[in-house]
Amino acid sequence: MSTPLLHVSHLEKYYQKAHILHDVNFELNTGEVLTLLGPSGSGKSTLLRCLNGLEAYQQGAITFDGQAVTQKPKQWQQLRQQIGMVFQSYDLFPNRNVLENILLGPLKVQKRPRAAVLPEIQQLLKKVGMADYADAYPRQLSGGQKQRIAIVRALALKPKLMLFDEVTASLDPEMVRDVLNIIRQLAASHAMTMLVVTHEMDFAKQISDQVLFLADGQILEQTPGTQFFEQPQTERAQNFLASMDF
Amino acid sequence: MSTPLLHVSHLEKYYQKAHILHDVNFELNTGEVLTLLGPSGSGKSTLLRCLNGLEAYQQGAITFDGQAVTQKPKQWQQLRQQIGMVFQSYDLFPNRNVLENILLGPLKVQKRPRAAVLPEIQQLLKKVGMADYADAYPRQLSGGQKQRIAIVRALALKPKLMLFDEVTASLDPEMVRDVLNIIRQLAASHAMTMLVVTHEMDFAKQISDQVLFLADGQILEQTPGTQFFEQPQTERAQNFLASMDF
Amino acid sequence: MAHSGIDVLTAGSNFSRLLGGLWVTVKIALIAILIGTIVGILLGILRTLPNRPLRFILRLYLEFFRIVPTVVLLFLFYYILPKQFNVNLPAETVATLVFALWVASEMSDIVRGALESVPQHQKEAGQAIGLSYWQLQRYVLIPQAWPLGLPATVNLMTRVVKTTSLLMLISVMDVINIGQQIIEANNKTAPNGVFWIYGIIFMFYFIINYPLSRWDKHLNKRRLEANH
Amino acid sequence: MSSWAIIQQSLPLFQKGFFITLKLATLGILGAIVVGIICSLIQYFHLPLLNPLVTIYTEIARNTPLLIQLFFLYYAFPQLGLRLTASQCGVVGLIFLGGSYMAAGFTGGFDGISPSQLEAGQAIGLSRWQLAHYVVLPQGLALSVPALAANIIFLIKETSIFTVIAIPELTNTALDLIGMYYHTNEYLLVLVVAYALILIPLSIILTYLERRVRYGAFGN
Amino acid sequence: GSSKASSSHTTNQNSVAKIKKRGTLRVAVFGDLPPYGWVNKSGQRVGYDVTLARRVAKDLGVKIKFVQVNANNRVDALNANKVDIVLANFTVTSERKQVVAFAKAYMKVSVGVVSPKDAKITKVSQLKGQNLIVTKGTTAENYFTSQQTSANLLKFDSKTQQFNALKNKRGVALADDNSYLYAWVKNNPKYTVGIKGIGPKQYISPAVKKGNTSLLNWTNQEITKLTKAGFFKTDYQQQLAPYFGKEVKASDIIINH
Ligand SMILES: Nc1ncnc2c1ncn2[C@@H]1O[C@H](COP(=O)(O)OP(=O)(O)OP(=O)(O)O)[C@@H](O)[C@H]1O
Ligand SMILES: Nc1ncnc2c1ncn2[C@@H]1O[C@H](COP(=O)(O)OP(=O)(O)OP(=O)(O)O)[C@@H](O)[C@H]1O
Ligand SMILES: [Mg+2]
Ligand SMILES: [Mg+2]
């Protein structure tokens, strides 16, 4: 863990006049899990989207894997193969079945040979308990199943960093667990560097190597491990944690 | 509390061939709070919708406030003024502002004079902390605010029974509390008879006078107070409770 | 080619006659749209009723006007129906009637579609506070369906205006018929007048329809922004 | 002569007209679909230079009557040195008009794709054209099937205007027979039936397609 | 035909008495056929047929209302009761006699064929397999459909379109009433009436609805009266002569009953 995998410094983001992110600074080392907590509208999704080139930022610098991010479309397209992202709305392509959804990236973007990719994907599908569903279409799956496939689709590109944005927020309560378990496994094996936005506090407590607390577009706290949950420093964070458990 | 406010006996509900509710029996006394728990797809929403005439049932009898329900549209229209219902998707009418949303029922349905209704509504709005928003349009409100208005809209008709169907399910976590607090207040004052579907177990524990556990369209347990949460009788209920907390 | 023929437009009362023809065209389109829209809204509401025979009849009405080309409708109503039913209406009235019936049929489908795409839960929320059928229509469904159906309605308007070009086939003195009179009358002095006449008529149609089509675009954009 | 005999005598001519209508409509509609897809993609991706051209084209084509467009194609273009046969004029006119309608329909479909689908595609590294190929086109086209169906029927009916450039399609045949033999009722009846023969089965097929596409593609 | 069944009881609507009571005579005329029926620069309807129409209305003692028609809807305009009388270059044929009632003829013509001077058509045989332009519902169309079927007909709805098509070389020639073609070539000197007359001599008559005997009889008397009074000669001199070339003489066109 010499140089960090991801380095964000002095990031500023505006929507027209609205100042959404203020001077965001942090770094993330390979193998670490960073959870991003904060009230609704605080800018968590926006930050993640900036890290995947879905939003442009106006100032500041991002360095990923030693490479300075230029915000050029061509560069993003290449970087996105190394930075996987999973959204709240499990966006599988409805017109392609599970396998085709997953293969699109490795075959068309990375141009890897099908024969090499297939066994890896079988492996991943087995890991998330979806080995039998390769031929299913998204509409035939439950929300939790779709979200698991979306995770596999991102993993299939063998990214160095995974971004998870409230991936369980639109799931039925009983399905939340399946999906979180998968992320937990990924975290436990230290195989994957992750940046996770979630509202599930117990889950966050279990997986975090670091916690970033965002409010009104500013990082109010950055603490290692579970310290954040036990001794939040700012009042904002205390209130936030109080509102989260009932 | 001599005769129950609501009496449901041998209710059977089909969608075409699919048998959704099997021999549902229960009663609810004035001032009591009944929570309806059960896995997704077990028929909770369907049961509530049957109680408000949004779905027809094929067999069984419902008695409300001593009156046998005939399922005639005219009767439903009259009964609905006494049975309020709030849905998961906060369904304010987007083309009318908050006050107009609330006034529609009392003025157009009940034909009460505006002058008599207005003070009551001011009162209710104050109670839910929305006194300043009478002129706002739904799109200008957050999810939690919309849901609070939806509750006021139902209460404005002075119903004898309120049905709540997962009213916090589409809210951001921090907003859940505001809405649940309102329902909790209503329950605590014993002013309102309520039938509540929720996935928030802590909340359910706090407000329930009775719990009805539904699985596959059948009532598997019916227990008073908090007993259900401590000693679920059936294995289904035990599994269900296990899946709910993390 | 010494003579471009543009003076055909300005000779005599030619230009004002063309404008007169245009007015006939516009008048027919306007009245037809007005009547057709009102009738179409009523029929559209009726088509959402659970009454099967009624829905079937209204569906037949829609399909008839959808399948039969307007040229044929004009002939049918101008030459055949008077013979069969012994009613006799002037050409402009017949044209207005045909267009109104056509607009009504298309409108009924637009209105039905718009009403049906108001989210089901809006309807249920209205029922849940005890609104009656007509109260539900009046306070909840129609106000919300209106912006959903408007783009298609504006689009239909542009089609109606364009279709008035077929009026030249029955004895309506619309802008094209007048144009042809002028072309023939000036054949000797301005053999190329024909292009100027058709050109100006082309412009006329464009000038009427372009604002409508901008409006349609604007509405669609606004709807998209509301959705996403 | 009985009505039936009149109708029977006219059938061979109508049959000819029927196939001419069918042929020209098919060519015109296929062309319009191609033009429509190209234009809608140009608009969707805001391609520089081409985008304003497409806007000008669609505004002109949509806002003027086919009748006058045909007059120009048939009577004016030869003077500019571009000489098309009547049938070619008909097909070109239909493509010109229909292309703009199809473009609007496809654009509507593309706009209906949820932005999250596009982001999902971007997130796995798809390039612009890969996004068009794997996400925008398949989903957008599926979403535009209702508009496509309406446009197809509209364009078939528009072929009746070909009568003004003397193409012996169905409407021209009927009007001509009426002018020669004056059996207006009978000929118009045959004409309506002929259009119904094309449009009713087509409408049924399109409704079926619409339904299949809806269930096939949008169960997300 | 149901058209026959309904014709008798609607006839009365157009009887002379009814027209006088109504106070207007509705006449079907062409609007784009100079010099017979057209609209001049200042928007007035003029022409040989139109002058006749005005005179007929005047003699009936009523106002006149013009209904502009195309060749192919002259019959329906009558039968659908849109007009009382057709004065629109209406050639008498046996088919037409079955569906409308013709009064006495006021003009004679035959079918002529016009073609460019530099590619002159002088014999029908030259038309074999070639495109020949006609207007729907004209005598020329009828002739080339039933008698001379070798040409390939291009059929237009109006005169405007028919002549445009000829100028655009959509066909090698155009067939129409010869008197009319003479008039046209005078304005278009690059063309010539290569076939001056084919088929039998034809007559142009006013037409009324079948069964409308009172108007038919009245019209017949009117034509006779006008002929005697030299009306048609004057009409010819004023409306037609300026348009026709030297090839045509009044006696080629008007009839001496
Ligand atoms: N496209 C946009 N245009 C303008 N403002 C936007 C846009 N998207 C988001 N915002 C604003 O940016 C702020 C941050 O939004 P963001 O979605 O990042 O919050 P979040 O922390 O992810 O919230 P949540 O927990 O609800 O997902 C909010 O105030 C939001 O209103
Ligand atoms: N309109 C319908 N047609 C056919 N089946 C339906 C319909 N609506 C609901 N169902 C079925 O009825 C069953 C009960 O559904 P219901 O919505 O009542 O469950 P629920 O307990 O409210 O679930 P959740 O917790 O997800 O809201 C489910 O199996 C569902 O698929
Ligand atoms: Mg977010
Ligand atoms: Mg439910």
Side-chain angles (χ1 to χ4, degrees), chain D residues 31-48:
Chain D
I33 290 176
V34 172
V35 170
I37 289 179
I38 293 172
C39 289
S40 56
L41 280 177
I42 288 172
Q43 289 186 313
Y44 188 79
F45 287 108
H46 292 284
L47 292 190

CSV table of all heavy atoms in Angstrom, one decimal, chain D residues 31-48:
chain,number,residue,atom,x,y,z
D,31,GLY,N,-38.0,3.1,-46.8
D,31,GLY,CA,-37.1,4.3,-46.9
D,31,GLY,C,-37.3,5.2,-45.8
D,31,GLY,O,-36.3,5.7,-45.2
D,32,ALA,N,-38.5,5.5,-45.4
D,32,ALA,CA,-38.8,6.5,-44.4
D,32,ALA,C,-38.2,6.0,-43.1
D,32,ALA,O,-37.7,6.8,-42.3
D,32,ALA,CB,-40.3,6.7,-44.2
D,33,ILE,N,-38.3,4.7,-42.8
D,33,ILE,CA,-37.8,4.1,-41.6
D,33,ILE,C,-36.2,4.3,-41.5
D,33,ILE,O,-35.7,4.8,-40.5
D,33,ILE,CB,-38.1,2.6,-41.4
D,33,ILE,CG1,-39.6,2.5,-41.2
D,33,ILE,CG2,-37.3,2.0,-40.3
D,33,ILE,CD1,-40.1,1.1,-41.1
D,34,VAL,N,-35.6,4.1,-42.7
D,34,VAL,CA,-34.1,4.2,-42.7
D,34,VAL,C,-33.8,5.7,-42.5
D,34,VAL,O,-32.9,6.0,-41.6
D,34,VAL,CB,-33.6,3.7,-44.1
D,34,VAL,CG1,-32.1,4.1,-44.2
D,34,VAL,CG2,-33.8,2.2,-44.2
D,35,VAL,N,-34.4,6.6,-43.2
D,35,VAL,CA,-34.2,8.0,-43.0
D,35,VAL,C,-34.4,8.4,-41.6
D,35,VAL,O,-33.7,9.2,-41.0
D,35,VAL,CB,-35.0,8.9,-44.0
D,35,VAL,CG1,-34.9,10.3,-43.7
D,35,VAL,CG2,-34.6,8.6,-45.4
D,36,GLY,N,-35.5,7.9,-41.1
D,36,GLY,CA,-35.9,8.3,-39.7
D,36,GLY,C,-34.9,7.8,-38.7
D,36,GLY,O,-34.6,8.6,-37.8
D,37,ILE,N,-34.4,6.6,-38.8
D,37,ILE,CA,-33.4,6.1,-37.9
D,37,ILE,C,-32.1,7.0,-38.0
D,37,ILE,O,-31.6,7.4,-37.0
D,37,ILE,CB,-33.1,4.7,-38.1
D,37,ILE,CG1,-34.2,3.8,-37.8
D,37,ILE,CG2,-31.8,4.2,-37.3
D,37,ILE,CD1,-34.0,2.3,-38.0
D,38,ILE,N,-31.7,7.2,-39.2
D,38,ILE,CA,-30.5,8.0,-39.3
D,38,ILE,C,-30.7,9.4,-38.7
D,38,ILE,O,-29.8,9.9,-37.9
D,38,ILE,CB,-30.1,8.2,-40.8
D,38,ILE,CG1,-29.7,6.8,-41.4
D,38,ILE,CG2,-29.0,9.1,-41.0
D,38,ILE,CD1,-29.5,6.7,-42.9
D,39,CYS,N,-31.8,10.1,-39.1
D,39,CYS,CA,-32.0,11.4,-38.5
D,39,CYS,C,-32.1,11.4,-37.0
D,39,CYS,O,-31.6,12.3,-36.4
D,39,CYS,CB,-33.3,12.0,-39.1
D,39,CYS,SG,-33.1,12.4,-40.9
D,40,SER,N,-32.8,10.4,-36.5
D,40,SER,CA,-33.0,10.5,-35.0
D,40,SER,C,-31.7,10.2,-34.3
D,40,SER,O,-31.5,10.8,-33.2
D,40,SER,CB,-34.1,9.5,-34.6
D,40,SER,OG,-33.8,8.2,-35.1
D,41,LEU,N,-30.8,9.4,-34.9
D,41,LEU,CA,-29.5,9.1,-34.3
D,41,LEU,C,-28.7,10.4,-34.3
D,41,LEU,O,-28.0,10.8,-33.3
D,41,LEU,CB,-28.8,8.0,-34.9
D,41,LEU,CG,-29.2,6.6,-34.5
D,41,LEU,CD1,-28.5,5.5,-35.3
D,41,LEU,CD2,-29.0,6.4,-33.0
D,42,ILE,N,-28.8,11.1,-35.5
D,42,ILE,CA,-28.0,12.4,-35.6
D,42,ILE,C,-28.5,13.3,-34.5
D,42,ILE,O,-27.7,14.0,-33.8
D,42,ILE,CB,-28.2,13.0,-37.0
D,42,ILE,CG1,-27.4,12.1,-38.0
D,42,ILE,CG2,-27.7,14.4,-37.0
D,42,ILE,CD1,-27.7,12.5,-39.4
D,43,GLN,N,-29.8,13.4,-34.3
D,43,GLN,CA,-30.4,14.3,-33.3
D,43,GLN,C,-30.0,13.9,-31.9
D,43,GLN,O,-29.7,14.7,-31.1
D,43,GLN,CB,-31.9,14.5,-33.5
D,43,GLN,CG,-32.2,15.2,-34.8
D,43,GLN,CD,-33.7,15.5,-34.8
D,43,GLN,OE1,-34.5,14.6,-34.6
D,43,GLN,NE2,-34.1,16.7,-35.2
D,44,TYR,N,-30.1,12.6,-31.7
D,44,TYR,CA,-29.8,12.0,-30.4
D,44,TYR,C,-28.4,12.4,-29.9
D,44,TYR,O,-28.2,12.7,-28.8
D,44,TYR,CB,-30.1,10.5,-30.4
D,44,TYR,CG,-30.1,10.0,-29.0
D,44,TYR,CD1,-31.2,10.1,-28.2
D,44,TYR,CD2,-28.9,9.3,-28.5
D,44,TYR,CE1,-31.2,9.6,-26.9
D,44,TYR,CE2,-28.9,8.8,-27.2
D,44,TYR,CZ,-30.0,9.0,-26.4
D,44,TYR,OH,-30.0,8.5,-25.1
D,45,PHE,N,-27.5,12.2,-30.8
D,45,PHE,CA,-26.1,12.4,-30.4
D,45,PHE,C,-25.6,13.8,-30.8
D,45,PHE,O,-24.5,14.2,-30.7
D,45,PHE,CB,-25.2,11.4,-31.1
D,45,PHE,CG,-25.3,10.0,-30.5
D,45,PHE,CD1,-25.9,9.0,-31.2
D,45,PHE,CD2,-24.8,9.8,-29.2
D,45,PHE,CE1,-26.1,7.8,-30.6
D,45,PHE,CE2,-25.0,8.5,-28.7
D,45,PHE,CZ,-25.6,7.5,-29.4
D,46,HIS,N,-26.6,14.7,-31.2
D,46,HIS,CA,-26.3,16.1,-31.5
D,46,HIS,C,-25.0,16.2,-32.4
D,46,HIS,O,-24.1,16.9,-32.1
D,46,HIS,CB,-26.0,16.9,-30.2
D,46,HIS,CG,-27.3,17.0,-29.4
D,46,HIS,ND1,-28.3,17.9,-29.8
D,46,HIS,CD2,-27.7,16.4,-28.3
D,46,HIS,CE1,-29.3,17.8,-28.9
D,46,HIS,NE2,-29.0,16.9,-28.0
D,47,LEU,N,-25.0,15.4,-33.4
D,47,LEU,CA,-23.8,15.5,-34.3
D,47,LEU,C,-23.7,16.9,-34.9
D,47,LEU,O,-24.6,17.4,-35.5
D,47,LEU,CB,-23.9,14.4,-35.4
D,47,LEU,CG,-23.9,13.0,-35.0
D,47,LEU,CD1,-23.7,12.1,-36.2
D,47,LEU,CD2,-22.7,12.7,-34.0
D,48,PRO,N,-22.5,17.5,-34.8
D,48,PRO,CA,-22.3,18.8,-35.3
D,48,PRO,C,-22.6,18.8,-36.9
D,48,PRO,O,-22.4,17.8,-37.5
D,48,PRO,CB,-20.9,19.2,-35.0
D,48,PRO,CG,-20.2,17.9,-34.7
D,48,PRO,CD,-21.3,16.9,-34.2
